[in-house]
Amino acid sequence: MCVRQSLLGLPYLVPPKGGHFKGAPAPPPASPQPRPLPKVSAPSPASREHLSRGKPEAAFYRNTELSNLYLTKSSPKSQYHCLMYYSKTIYFCWHYLTDAVRDGKNQYDRPFGISSEDLYGALYRSEEEMIKFMYFLNDFWKMYGRDVIGAFDLSPFTVIYDLGGCAGGLAQECISLYPNSTVTIYDLPKVVQVAKERFVPPEERRITFHEGDFFKDPIPEADLYILARILHDWADDKCMHLLTKIHKACKPGGGVLLVETLLNEDKTGSVDAQLFNLIMLVQTEGRVRTPAEYSKLFTAAGFREIQVKKTGKLYDAILGRK
Ligand SMILES: C[S@@+](CC[C@H](N)C(=O)[O-])C[C@H]1O[C@@H](n2cnc3c(N)ncnc32)[C@H](O)[C@@H]1O
């Protein structure tokens, strides 16, 4: 048995010849035929003996169960696009972490040579980059969508707008959990176009689209507005501007559902939240906040009855009512 490096940079194990790991479930019978590798790294004493006799021993490889679940593109839980975006885009921003800490702002122009004055102009610097970002974000909802959409009983809200709803992963979770709901994905025109073409099947009548800029254009009336991973992109003044607009548009008795990774009140953790906070620093204009910081923004915008639900997973939820 030996350890090899996969294309994604993750190590995986090559099982013993003809067998599988002790204690591991037997490999599925219909998995693709193992292919012989041209050469074996770190040959065992037995194979060294073979080699010395001029008979190279064939090595075989296959995905582990975990790789099949999370790394293959076709798996319903695939995290392939997520890992690719981390390694091909976010990783390059981390090269300038020291400068970002010193300046207190992202250094997006340094790895990519493009000004981040218009944040989403920079993130969507080409259609290809935008599509990668959309796949990246959608991968998370395969894992955590149900936890955040089910964190509160949203069944009283039937007309829902997912502001900055992107590729629609969360909208899909919402209509599947709440059979009386319809969700409108409100996003920038070019995002909406791609969401329609690639992500949301046309026969899905309960998901509709609205092209617009939520900072500049009107926000239509609804029972509930979802803000998933939106406010963490922006500084407090922009968050206030958006929340105030939402409060004006919201039906009386309606609400806003915030979905974010939350920092502990004393900011000591979680590690995930702190890590995301650094990602926000190197890539956006925003930051990860505590429940109290979000509650303060909600209250200042006019929302009341603010409830916080920690899911125990990567993303948490806050519900505020008008
Ligand atoms: C970090 S992503 C979150 C996407 C989605 N809510 C999710 O959690 O997967 C932010 C989203 O806001 C959208 N967005 C950014 N600025 C916007 C604006 N001014 N008006 C409308 N949508 C905007 C982006 O296109 C993107 O889809």
Side-chain angles (χ1 to χ4, degrees):
M1 186 199 309
C2 65
V3 179
R4 292 186 190 288
Q5 202 72 11
S6 77
L7 280 179
L8 291 170
L10 299 169
Y12 62 93
L13 298 175
V14 180
K17 191 181 172 190
H20 59 279
F21 299 115
K22 222 175 164 185
S31 61
Q33 284 301 306
R35 283 190 272 143
L37 288 174
K39 64 181 186 199
V40 185
S41 61
S44 67
S47 64
R48 269 204 298 274
E49 204 185 309
H50 257 83
L51 285 168
S52 67
R53 280 191 255 128
K55 289 187 203 157
E57 185 191 64
F60 295 90
Y61 67 94
R62 66 166 67 85
N63 285 344
T64 62
E65 296 295 310
L66 272 184
S67 309
N68 277 334
L69 187 61
Y70 295 121
L71 300 183
T72 54
K73 280 191 198 167
S74 57
S75 164
K77 297 268 181 218
S78 176
Q79 296 297 295
Y80 169 86
H81 296 287
C82 182
L83 289 169
M84 291 306 273
Y85 194 80
Y86 272 123
S87 91
K88 301 280 180 207
T89 298
I90 297 177
Y91 180 70
F92 292 104
C93 298
W94 278 80
H95 287 219
Y96 301 95
L97 177 63
T98 317
D99 304 279
V101 170
R102 277 202 193 108
D103 296 357
K105 63 184 183 72
N106 77 60
Q107 309 284 315
Y108 215 75
D109 52 331
R110 302 180 80 161
F112 303 116
I114 194 159
S115 158
S116 63
E117 208 159 300
D118 166 14
L119 178 61
Y120 274 85
L123 287 173
Y124 297 162
R125 57 197 170 280
S126 67
E127 180 163 283
E128 194 192 350
E129 273 302 314
M130 183 183 83
I131 293 171
K132 281 195 224 163
F133 185 70
M134 293 173 78
Y135 276 106
F136 159 67
L137 291 170
N138 238 32
D139 273 0
F140 287 88
W141 300 135
K142 298 174 190 168
M143 305 278 288
Y144 308 108
R146 192 47 70 107
D147 300 313
V148 293
I149 286 298
F152 296 100
D153 175 15
L154 303 179
S155 59
F157 308 110
T158 52
V159 179
I160 299 174
Y161 266 69
D162 188 357
L163 298 176
C166 203
L170 215 47
Q172 305 260 19
E173 285 295 338
C174 194
I175 58 160
S176 98
L177 191 59
Y178 301 106
N180 296 323
S181 66
T182 58
V183 180
T184 301
I185 295 172
Y186 183 123
D187 212 303
L188 300 167
K190 57 186 179 180
V191 176
V192 165
Q193 286 312 316
V194 172
K196 278 185 192 167
E197 281 161 21
R198 291 187 177 234
F199 290 90
V200 180
E203 61 277 13
E204 188 42 85
R205 302 266 175 237
R206 289 168 55 212
I207 295 183
T208 55
F209 296 90
H210 184 114
E211 296 180 7
D213 178 326
F214 51 45
F215 289 125
K216 296 182 187 152
D217 298 325
I219 295 177
E221 185 181 72
D223 297 318
L224 181 75
Y225 300 88
I226 298 175
L227 279 179
R229 301 188 284 194
I230 302 297
L231 298 190
H232 71 198
D233 282 342
W234 308 107
D236 284 1
D237 56 342
K238 283 202 169 168
C239 294
M240 270 310 295
H241 174 59
L242 184 56
L243 284 169
T244 307
K245 271 183 88 171
I246 296 171
H247 187 265
K248 271 198 195 119
C250 187
K251 279 189 191 163
V256 60
L257 178 78
L258 180 95
V259 175
E260 293 283 358
T261 300
L262 295 174
L263 269 173
N264 296 342
E265 290 300 354
D266 62 4
K267 304 199 177 173
T268 53
S270 66
V271 172
D272 287 330
Q274 286 169 328
L275 194 58
F276 276 161
N277 209 8
L278 287 175
I279 292 176
M280 292 311 127
L281 172 67
V282 296
Q283 217 191 359
T284 75
E285 296 175 16
R287 63 194 175 90
V288 172
R289 295 177 174 86
T290 64
E293 286 171 330
Y294 279 121
S295 299
K296 201 170 155 196
L297 290 171
F298 270 41
T299 310
F303 290 99
R304 59 187 172 78
E305 293 173 36
I306 296 152
Q307 295 169 265
V308 178
K309 266 283 167 62
K310 290 256 193 169
T311 65
K313 308 272 182 64
L314 200 50
Y315 292 101
D316 304 303
I318 301 183
L319 184 67
R321 304 294 292 259
K322 178 167 175 178

